[in-house]
Amino acid sequence: LGGQRSLEVVSEPVPAPVASATAASEPAAKSDGDAVFGKKEMAFSMVLGLLMGVVLFIVAPAFITNLLVGEYDAHTLVWNIVDGLLRVAVFVFYIWLIGRMSDIKRIFGYHGAEHKTIHCYEHGLPLTPENARQFPRLHVRCGTAFLIMVMIIAILVYTVTPLNALISAWGVPDGAPKLVLVIAARIVRILLMPVIAGISYEITVRWAGSHPENPLVKVVLWPGMQMQYLTTNEPDDGMLECAIAAMQRVLEREEAEAAKVSGAPSSTRGGDGMEQAEPAV
């Protein structure tokens, strides 16, 4: 950032086009330097985040579960349930912890504004801060509810994975070797995440989003809905205006796409457009 402290006087004036080109190229060079530095920093952050995620959500819960329940193959069902509940607890605590930061609080306020705007649109009211403010900041198709459902479905999928067959076939002894195998299998099971995410999407977005008043939906999504109290805050009018402006851009794009397909102007209200209007957060 600006190592230059003085100006050098040039006797010959630089032509205007050349000066403009030089001035335009200088920020670009600085921008390139910043981009390179930013990529390195981002790569380090991603690697560190991945390692912390493995330790917090895989290694630590498995280690604690082994202490509480015992060997994996002796209590498979209970072991998976306790391990899954511990992972959910770590996730909830993590969200609560970062929610204490002022910047994250503001982000969660925009999250609440997004939900209120979606509610306002789905109820057919004009998109204004006054109309959106009256709606709750929770929504059934929220990405937070989706994440909680992913963790719940993962417990079921991991329980039916035939890990016991590997333990028996390889003759893995009790204690640390068996725990290491279980942790390694947990990491490999990340490959099953597309299946788990797909099942969770069908439940939280397609089924629950289409039947929000269904009593069974309310029971199934209750944990995720409660989690939204941590990931959303009450927005101010500026946040609502921002969310409304974003929503209007989405509606304009969908209307343009619908008109392109049908060959005539069409409205974007209703149907799958409402589901697409709520991004996972």
Side-chain angles (χ1 to χ4, degrees), residues 226-243:
Q226 300 307 304
M227 187 67 184
Q228 291 181 49
Y229 283 110
L230 295 180
T231 62
T232 61
N233 289 327
E234 285 295 332
D236 56 31
D237 286 350
M239 295 174 180
L240 289 171
E241 291 173 358
C242 180

Side-chain angles (χ1 to χ4, degrees), residues 197-215:
I199 297 174
S200 302
Y201 177 84
E202 291 295 327
I203 294 175
T204 57
V205 177
R206 299 297 295 272
W207 174 61
S210 302
H211 308 84
E213 300 303 323
N214 188 310

Side-chain angles (χ1 to χ4, degrees), residues 68-147:
L68 297 177
V69 178
E71 299 296 335
Y72 176 87
D73 54 340
H75 311 87
T76 302
L77 179 60
V78 177
W79 202 101
N80 280 287
I81 292 176
V82 173
D83 177 70
L85 292 177
L86 285 175
R87 283 187 281 114
V88 172
V90 171
F91 175 70
V92 172
F93 176 73
Y94 169 78
I95 294 296
W96 175 85
L97 189 62
I98 66 171
R100 305 303 96 194
M101 302 168 58
S102 58
D103 289 344
I104 301 300
K105 285 182 180 180
R106 185 166 177 80
I107 290 176
F108 287 169
Y110 281 106
H111 191 190
E114 172 202 354
H115 286 182
K116 286 175 176 285
T117 301
I118 295 293
H119 279 300
C120 184
Y121 169 73
E122 290 175 339
H123 283 78
L125 297 178
L127 295 179
T128 63
E130 293 75 16
N131 288 336
R133 192 182 303 115
Q134 63 182 304
F135 292 102
R137 69 179 200 261
L138 311 184
H139 198 284
V140 294
R141 289 195 304 276
C142 175
T144 304
F146 172 75
L147 288 177

Side-chain angles (χ1 to χ4, degrees), residues 1-10 22 26 30:
L1 289 175
Q4 186 172 346
R5 291 290 189 274
S6 62
L7 293 176
E8 181 181 355
V9 179
V10 180
T22 304
E26 184 176 356
K30 291 182 179 179

